[in-house]
Amino acid sequence: MTFCAAVGHKLLQRIPTVGRGSARAYSARPTTLPDEGRAKVTIRTIKKLYTDQQPITMMTAYDYPTSVACDRAGVDMVLVGDSLAMVALGHNDTSQITMDDMIHHSKAVARGSRSSFLVTDLPFGAYQSDETTAVNNAIRMIKEGRAEAIKLEAGRRAAPKIDAIVNGAGIPVVGHIGLTPQTAVALGGFRVQGKSVSSAQALVADALALQEAGCFAIVLEAMPSLVAEAVTRLLRVPTIGIGAGPATSGQVLVLSDMVGMFDRFTPKFCRSFADLGPRMVTAVGEYNEAVRAGTFPAEGTHTYAMPAAAEERWRTYVQKEFGLELGAGSGSGTRVSTDPVPQSI
């Protein structure tokens, strides 16, 4: 069985029937998502996992299909990360994405996320200028993007803005310290942070300040494991690591990286759980060849038939009106002529 066929078979097994008979849902005939039986993850769920010392899972999603995959896999938190600028939109860095872009993708992810807790990044430029702008954009992301919390890449200097968002507007915030891709240029590029004692001390100060400002969780990116462990043990809120070792309260990865869908590079800290990129290329290549060989679509397998009486009347009408002799129809596999249609006189 080909990759496309195997994936299609599994997907069709999970799609519920619609209406009576054997009618089947498909992309142009949407249906509601099946109830997977998992309780909705909330901030209280996250706090309980943290208190019970149970690892917290987070995964990025950028659209409806990836959101459904994360939700059905049982991920605790889905992150609409601004990394979508690179892995989904093809930009060279994350600074080029806009609020409107993030809202668009957050809405799509929200439609597919029934149980996972949804966090969305505020993009570069959406919160750096002043508290009012930060609060207004956080409100937009909740109202328009349907996010349940927002994430900011910022250290202790952003604490007043986080306080205004959390305690002023009542919006949950996830902090993000260490390597902050939005400001990677100022950090000297995509480099590990906290390798010196002084820089590690600065990360501890950032983490404590974000906790006091009201963050309910903090992402630790690209830092030595010992630094991340110290930060995690000093905090009273969970840490979510990405390239920060195993001692954090949970982990997050970029979905495109861990399933082999991003063609430019794979970070050292990312483990490959699948290699879907090459498999997708192979599948599309097989489709390309099938179309050119005339084996797809196959009459009777991928086509719709008319009722026998209607088919006979249609053939008679087309022959008399246009002088066309149609193919054998369903089940014949006969390719219909592509000769130009003669004009009626």
Side-chain angles (χ1 to χ4, degrees):
M1 182 180 287
T2 65
F3 172 67
C4 277
V7 171
H9 177 69
K10 286 195 172 291
L11 287 176
L12 288 176
Q13 287 181 324
R14 302 197 67 162
I15 298 176
T17 57
V18 179
R20 298 178 179 178
S22 59
R24 191 160 55 201
Y26 56 100
S27 59
R29 183 180 188 169
T31 185
T32 56
L33 284 172
D35 185 358
E36 300 295 329
R38 186 163 69 110
K40 180 71 180 78
V41 177
T42 65
I43 290 180
R44 293 182 67 179
T45 311
I46 302 302
K47 289 181 177 179
K48 187 175 189 312
L49 289 171
Y50 172 67
T51 302
D52 293 346
Q53 297 185 332
Q54 295 296 313
I56 300 165
T57 58
M58 175 186 273
M59 181 62 65
T60 64
Y62 306 120
D63 53 23
Y64 177 82
T66 53
S67 175
V68 170
C70 291
D71 197 71
R72 290 179 174 173
V75 170
D76 298 316
M77 304 169 75
V78 170
L79 171 65
V80 186
D82 60 2
S83 52
L84 75 86
M86 300 173 68
V87 302
L89 301 182
H91 291 303
N92 291 327
D93 55 60
T94 63
S95 66
Q96 300 176 60
I97 202 163
T98 67
M99 269 294 293
D100 287 341
D101 290 333
M102 293 301 300
I103 287 171
H104 172 82
H105 285 270
S106 185
K107 287 192 294 187
V109 172
R111 296 182 195 113
S113 182
R114 293 171 62 93
S115 301
S116 301
F117 188 80
L118 177 57
V119 181
T120 301
D121 272 338
L122 286 191
F124 181 73
Y127 58 92
Q128 282 85 354
S129 58
D130 55 75
E131 290 180 22
T132 300
T133 300
V135 170
N136 288 341
N137 281 325
I139 292 172
R140 277 195 71 196
M141 192 60 72
I142 300 298
K143 290 185 66 175
E144 300 176 40
R146 311 306 302 157
E148 296 174 281
I150 58 104
K151 182 170 79 66
L152 302 181
E153 294 183 10
R156 55 192 177 275
R157 287 181 296 180
K161 297 170 186 173
I162 293 171
D163 176 73
I165 294 171
V166 174
N167 300 308
I171 295 172
V173 174
V174 175
H176 183 152
I177 63 172
L179 172 58
T180 49
Q182 291 180 2
T183 54
V185 173
L187 298 175
F190 290 84
R191 298 178 180 276
V192 176
Q193 302 298 301
K195 295 180 76 172
S196 68
V197 172
S198 60
S199 60
Q201 290 171 335
L203 290 175
V204 169
D206 284 339
L208 291 172
L210 296 190
Q211 174 181 260
E212 294 307 310
C215 289
F216 76 90
I218 301 175
V219 170
L220 309 182
E221 180 168 359
M223 63 181 66
S225 298
L226 288 178
V227 176
E229 180 183 355
V231 170
T232 299
R233 295 175 67 177
L234 288 168
L235 293 180
R236 303 184 307 276
V237 297
T239 58
I240 309 297
I242 176 167
T248 54
S249 312
Q251 298 292 328
V252 61
L253 282 178
V254 173
L255 179 63
S256 303
D257 290 340
M258 57 87 71
V259 298
M261 290 290 292
F262 188 51
D263 62 340
R264 297 181 188 172
F265 61 86
T266 300
K268 175 185 177 181
F269 56 73
C270 182
R271 173 180 166 183
S272 176
F273 288 84
D275 196 17
L276 300 187
R279 296 178 68 186
M280 180 177 289
V281 172
T282 299
V284 175
E286 290 177 1
Y287 156 80
N288 198 39
E289 293 174 3
V291 170
R292 289 175 174 168
T295 60
F296 176 82
E299 191 68 66
T301 302
H302 310 114
T303 57
Y304 302 98
M306 299 176 75
E311 178 180 331
E312 184 177 351
R313 290 196 298 270
W314 176 245
R315 288 178 181 277
T316 300
Y317 167 77
V318 171
Q319 198 282 327
K320 288 182 177 180
E321 188 71 18
F322 306 111
L324 290 179
E325 294 290 343
L326 299 180
S330 179
S332 69
T334 303
R335 294 187 66 180
V336 178
S337 170
T338 56
D339 292 340
V341 177
Q343 298 296 318
S344 59
I345 298 175

